[in-house]
Amino acid sequence: MEVRPNPTADNSSITPEHRQRNTAVSSAKKPAATPNPVDTSSVSQRLQKELMSLMMSAGDLGVSAFPEGENIFTWIGTIEGGKGTMYEGLSYKLSLRFPLDYPFKPPQVKFETMCFHPNVDQFGNICLDILQDKWSSAYDCRTILLSIQSLLGEPNPESPLNSYAATLWSNKEDYKKMVHKQYFAGEACES
């Protein structure tokens, strides 16, 4: 289809202010574009599958997690300290908050139990690449918990959130004493 200019329409007498006002009126009549709604049902389904998978396999791995109450987007996780690590015999509670655009964005994961570690700050925040810039939608809750469990025994003192823990890491005996001191002090506070 060919479009030809209309010789009878003479727009030369329309002022720039009038054109601007007409443009504003016509754009005001258009409905505002709504962002695409998030499909929470598909996220809920994925989290249900992850929960089932975790329940079926993770007990023997020393990690577990379950939704907190009725909200599928908020979980409580547990990590057992790995054998042969400074954390052996200790059990840590974590909170996991899954965003509505999970698995395209990582969950917020924090230690709820006091944890003395180079990559964990005093508020329980965790410095772990897969929870930040190295996140992949292929990861799941089980992967996250196992990665954090592994981090306990193999910290990255080069990227510390707790610089005191990072400097103490080389002195295994003092480090282990501090791990136990903070763990049991936190347990006493929770009681």
Side-chain angles (χ1 to χ4, degrees):
M1 179 168 104
E2 183 178 325
V3 178
R4 295 185 185 171
N6 185 350
T8 59
D10 180 13
N11 291 334
S12 61
S13 64
I14 298 175
T15 65
E17 294 83 19
H18 186 76
R19 275 195 193 108
Q20 195 173 25
R21 191 171 40 244
N22 282 347
T23 304
V25 168
S26 67
S27 64
K29 290 179 184 176
K30 293 179 186 173
T34 57
N36 291 337
V38 176
D39 182 10
T40 58
S41 66
S42 66
V43 177
S44 295
Q45 287 174 353
R46 168 147 176 168
L47 289 171
Q48 289 285 351
K49 286 180 185 174
E50 288 188 24
L51 177 61
M52 290 306 296
S53 173
L54 198 56
M55 288 171 56
M56 301 295 278
S57 67
D60 56 328
L61 301 172
V63 299
S64 64
F66 300 94
E68 184 178 32
E70 298 295 314
N71 187 352
I72 191 74
F73 291 93
T74 305
W75 292 21
I76 295 294
T78 306
I79 294 177
E80 303 293 328
K83 287 186 173 34
T85 71
M86 309 285 182
Y87 302 89
E88 184 175 359
L90 304 179
S91 178
Y92 290 90
K93 189 162 113 177
L94 297 102
S95 62
L96 298 94
R97 302 200 188 293
F98 295 91
L100 296 178
D101 50 358
Y102 179 79
F104 303 106
K105 294 270 172 61
Q108 292 178 335
V109 184
K110 289 177 69 170
F111 275 92
E112 296 298 323
T113 307
M114 290 290 289
C115 182
F116 183 76
H117 191 277
N119 307 115
V120 180
D121 72 11
Q122 64 190 11
F123 305 108
N125 297 309
I126 305 166
C127 180
L128 181 62
D129 58 357
I130 70 160
L131 294 176
Q132 293 149 7
D133 58 331
K134 300 286 187 199
W135 174 254
S136 164
S137 59
Y139 296 142
D140 60 9
C141 184
R142 182 174 173 271
T143 307
I144 294 165
L145 294 173
L146 290 172
S147 295
I148 295 170
Q149 184 184 48
S150 176
L151 181 70
L152 286 178
E154 300 170 21
N156 180 3
E158 304 303 315
S159 178
L161 284 179
N162 180 334
S163 55
Y164 179 58
T167 57
L168 200 58
W169 175 250
S170 58
N171 183 338
K172 303 299 183 207
E173 189 176 317
D174 288 346
Y175 184 89
K176 187 171 184 173
K177 285 179 187 174
M178 197 63 180
V179 166
H180 286 262
K181 180 180 176 183
Q182 279 206 359
Y183 180 84
F184 291 110
E187 289 284 300
C189 289
E190 286 181 15
S191 304

